Amino acid sequence: MNSKFFMDCSEGREIETDEISGEDISGWLIPMSQVLEFEKEWRKEESKLDAWDDRLRIAEWNKSGAKITINFSRY
């Protein structure tokens, strides 16, 4: 997707296998061309991220047999 995901918080719906444990998480899926600009604001203690609301996503896991995939859907 040529993007980087910046986590905000967990959303529940856990998954646990012998190799991994995790759950769905929300955050911002930022195109690589904007990562430096976003990360600068994201790292601030009092960040102002409203301008990035259109990039909010939920990273949702799906399991089919032994294969696990992650899909990013709009928040």
Side-chain angles (χ1 to χ4, degrees):
M1 296 180 77
N2 201 28
S3 299
K4 183 174 181 177
F5 187 73
F6 291 83
M7 184 180 145
D8 183 35
C9 64
S10 61
E11 297 290 336
R13 206 172 72 89
E14 297 176 354
I15 182 173
E16 187 147 348
T17 71
D18 291 339
E19 293 84 26
I20 66 165
S21 83
E23 61 187 290
D24 293 347
I25 54 177
S26 60
W28 297 266
L29 187 61
I30 306 297
M32 293 306 291
S33 62
Q34 296 177 305
V35 163
L36 293 177
E37 178 186 355
F38 177 83
E39 189 169 12
K40 188 180 198 181
E41 188 63 36
W42 182 74
R43 289 190 178 275
K44 290 182 182 176
E45 193 166 316
E46 300 216 12
S47 57
K48 308 261 190 254
L49 298 173
D50 294 347
W52 299 90
D53 281 355
D54 64 325
R55 307 305 302 161
L56 278 170
R57 299 290 187 272
I58 296 179
E60 300 172 302
W61 63 267
N62 293 295
K63 186 175 179 189
S64 178
K67 183 178 180 180
I68 297 172
T69 58
I70 305 294
N71 296 309
F72 296 94
S73 56
R74 291 202 180 267
Y75 193 74

